[in-house]
Amino acid sequence: MAYQSLTFQGVTTADQVNKITTALMMLDGVDSAEVGRYGAEVEGRAKRDTLIKAVEKLNLGIKVS
């Protein structure tokens, strides 16, 4: 299994964390996602670009790196 780390800026609410968690878990190739206000640890075979695009597509006004 591969692990990917994402860093967030601008996540301020539990609702945002829940939306990000759901978006990541819905992706093909994601086995688990631990999401918090400052980032996420994702386990699985999904590519990093795919993870970042899924979060950006939510239009939450946050920065993902």
Side-chain angles (χ1 to χ4, degrees), residues 15-29:
D15 186 51
Q16 288 173 314
V17 171
N18 290 337
K19 287 179 180 179
I20 294 167
T21 303
T22 300
L24 293 175
M25 289 301 297
M26 297 286 289
L27 294 174
D28 188 36

Side-chain angles (χ1 to χ4, degrees), residues 13-58:
T13 67
D15 186 51
Q16 288 173 314
V17 171
N18 290 337
K19 287 179 180 179
I20 294 167
T21 303
T22 300
L24 293 175
M25 289 301 297
M26 297 286 289
L27 294 174
D28 188 36
V30 172
D31 296 323
S32 69
E34 293 290 327
V35 180
R37 287 182 55 204
Y38 301 105
E41 296 291 326
V42 182
E43 180 181 3
R45 59 185 177 10
K47 293 184 179 183
R48 182 175 180 79
D49 281 353
T50 304
L51 301 174
I52 291 172
K53 286 177 185 174
V55 176
E56 288 175 344
K57 195 174 186 181
L58 296 172

